[in-house]
Each structure stands twice: as C-alpha cells, then as structure tokens.
Amino acid sequence: FPNSMPTYKLTYFDTQGFAEVSRQLFILSDTPFEDNRIRYTESPFGKMPVLEVDGQPLSQSFAIARFLANKFGYAGRTEWEQAWVDALGDQFKDYLNEFLPFFRIAFGTANGDLEEMRKSEGEPIRDKFFGFLEKQAKSNGSNGFLVGDSLTWIDLVVADHMGVVEFHLPRFLDSFPEVQRVRRQVIETPKIKEWLERRPKRQY
C-alpha cells in the first residue's frame, strides 16, 4: 500500500461476533476505521467479516486479526512469540468447532437438553481447552498475558470469547483463575475499557 495512511473499512453484522477483536485492534492502535455494521440480509460478501484496505478486501476473521496485529504491534514481540500466538489461535479454532454445538443450545439458537449437553460435551471440551490455557498462562509467569509480557491479539480473542460465554453461562469459567487474570488485564486496558463502555450495546 502507499506510504500515506491507508483507509480501513470493516464490514460485519451489528454484533460483536467475529469482528470484535479486529475492532479492538483498531481502538488500541488509535487507527481510524469505518465500522460498517449491516443487517444479516445485506451481506455483500460470502464470508464475514471483511476488511477493506484502500478498497482491497480481505476475509476470514483470524486472517484479518493477524494482519492488523502485525501492522499495529500486537502479534508478539519476537518470532517465537508470534509463533506461539498463532498456535494458540489455531487451538482456539479447534476448540470452538468442538464447543459450538453445545454453545448454540446455551445461546438459544439450537434445541437440546442444556444440562445433559453441559455434562457430556460442554464441560469436558471447556476443561480440555481452558485447562491448556491455564497452564500456558501460568508458565508465562502469571503476568496476565498468554504469550510474552505484552498484549497480543490472542489475549483479545480469549477475553472476548469469555465475555460471550459468561453472558449466557454465568460462572462457567470460574475455575480458571490464570485465564480470568488474562481477561481482567484485557478489559482493564484503558482503551479497551473505554471502548467496552461506548460500543453498541447489542449483545453478541
């Protein structure tokens, strides 16, 4: 792209969803962007969200987040940290694919026995992934970050997801204190805290 400041347009539905981490990366970096929120019936693209940089489109939420994190300094400070952040991102996608059938019931968009699914799928899947995150956060020094000693986009991903889960399933993640520490670090970051207070209040 040219040396002048590129223009950014992020298109997604009027929810947090898969665009929220990218919005937060813009907020953290004080980078102007068009937060284009549309109705579900208006989607001009096959995949959402879509980031347009000087009119050139990029899809896939994690590809967008990685691109912005690399550009704004939230991808990890060394190549090794960046590799670990990416690895945790891949772990998160694997977990989410497993977790979604249960979570859709909790969310109210699928039918099923919530308590039965909670015991048979929700809690075991949660314990596997969040148990891994708990060890990672602890081995990283219990400093409120999952990788290194600075905020990265995977911290934003995990913190945002935890907010969604706990909105629908209060106390579901209480037994992971190190990961809760990461979430608190994210939501108490001044620019994120201010954004969470002023963003549209529509829930997820």
Side-chain angles (χ1 to χ4, degrees):
F1 300 110
N3 289 329
S4 59
M5 173 72 82
T7 60
Y8 297 101
K9 179 179 179 180
L10 184 64
T11 300
Y12 194 64
F13 309 115
D14 188 19
T15 61
Q16 276 90 276
F18 292 114
E20 183 61 16
V21 167
S22 292
R23 291 182 186 126
Q24 291 180 11
L25 287 165
F26 281 120
I27 298 299
L28 282 167
S29 62
D30 293 320
T31 301
F33 75 108
E34 181 181 348
D35 188 5
N36 184 36
R37 296 169 182 254
I38 64 173
R39 294 194 295 262
Y40 285 95
T41 55
E42 295 176 333
S43 174
F45 303 104
K47 291 281 187 180
M48 298 286 286
V50 168
L51 173 68
E52 294 173 76
V53 184
D54 290 337
Q56 299 184 58
L58 175 67
S59 64
Q60 296 291 341
S61 60
F62 273 23
I64 294 169
R66 283 189 178 106
F67 171 78
L68 296 176
N70 275 295
K71 193 166 187 63
F72 302 145
Y74 294 95
R77 289 178 169 169
T78 67
E79 288 183 352
W80 185 250
E81 287 184 8
Q82 290 173 18
W84 258 104
V85 169
D86 286 348
L88 291 174
D90 290 341
Q91 288 268 3
F92 178 83
K93 286 194 289 185
D94 290 345
Y95 148 79
L96 196 60
N97 286 335
E98 290 184 63
F99 191 67
L100 274 178
F102 161 70
F103 195 58
R104 286 193 179 104
I105 296 173
F107 199 82
T109 57
N111 296 319
D113 186 320
L114 180 60
E115 284 309 306
E116 180 183 317
M117 281 284 284
R118 180 178 179 134
K119 289 183 174 61
S120 65
E121 293 195 30
E123 291 179 355
I125 294 167
R126 171 202 67 186
D127 291 348
K128 182 172 70 172
F129 178 66
F130 278 88
F132 172 74
L133 287 186
E134 188 77 0
K135 290 178 182 176
Q136 171 63 21
K138 191 170 185 178
S139 70
N140 194 49
S142 299
N143 61 358
F145 304 112
L146 287 168
V147 178
D149 60 2
S150 63
L151 189 68
T152 63
W153 67 269
I154 195 60
D155 296 320
L156 301 178
V157 168
V158 169
D160 182 65
H161 175 69
M162 292 174 76
V164 177
V165 170
E166 291 182 345
F167 180 79
H168 295 281
L169 296 164
R171 312 209 63 167
F172 189 68
L173 301 174
D174 277 5
S175 56
F176 304 96
E178 294 294 339
V179 193
Q180 289 287 357
R181 188 196 304 265
V182 173
R183 184 187 178 207
R184 285 196 304 273
Q185 181 102 314
V186 169
I187 65 178
E188 291 298 320
T189 300
K191 289 176 185 177
I192 295 295
K193 185 175 183 179
E194 191 268 339
W195 164 250
L196 296 179
E197 290 169 354
R198 72 178 170 85
R199 73 183 178 185
K201 297 302 181 189
R202 181 168 176 168
Q203 289 292 343
Y204 313 115

